[in-house]
Amino acid sequence: VDVIVNATNQKLDMSVGVVSQQLLKVAGAELQTECTRTGRCEYPSDVVADTLIKSVMEYENDHPDTNIKCVSFVIWSKDVETIK
């Protein structure tokens, strides 16, 4: 699997939704903790953005034969600071 796409509710409760539930089942409670920590801005948004971009670049370097042509980051439209 090259990509996992998941959406969750505004409360970041991964026990809601089929995909979230399955990810939580496989990854364990730590996934919920990390999702909540990141989503509730305990990490500075610039650090999160930088980490996401670096992760995509590292993936591209480590997997030159990937079929992935586009990576999209979805940001809540009212999160003005992150959008900047």
Side-chain angles (χ1 to χ4, degrees):
V1 173
D2 284 336
V3 177
I4 295 176
V5 177
N6 187 43
T8 190
N9 53 44
Q10 287 182 329
K11 294 180 181 179
L12 303 174
D13 182 356
M14 295 196 68
S15 67
V16 177
V18 175
V19 175
S20 291
Q21 289 173 352
Q22 292 303 309
L23 290 170
L24 194 57
K25 180 179 176 182
V26 173
E30 180 67 19
L31 180 61
Q32 177 66 68
T33 302
E34 289 302 315
C35 178
T36 304
R37 186 176 297 146
T38 301
R40 294 219 172 125
C41 300
E42 290 183 32
Y43 292 121
S45 59
D46 61 327
V47 173
V48 173
D50 188 51
T51 301
L52 289 171
I53 291 167
K54 285 181 180 178
S55 295
V56 170
M57 293 171 69
E58 285 177 17
Y59 184 89
E60 182 181 27
N61 289 333
D62 293 345
H63 302 87
D65 296 331
T66 184
N67 290 326
I68 296 174
K69 303 291 183 221
C70 177
V71 175
S72 299
F73 298 103
V74 179
I75 303 170
W76 185 42
S77 62
K78 294 182 181 179
D79 190 350
V80 177
E81 289 304 310
T82 299
I83 292 171
K84 287 179 186 177

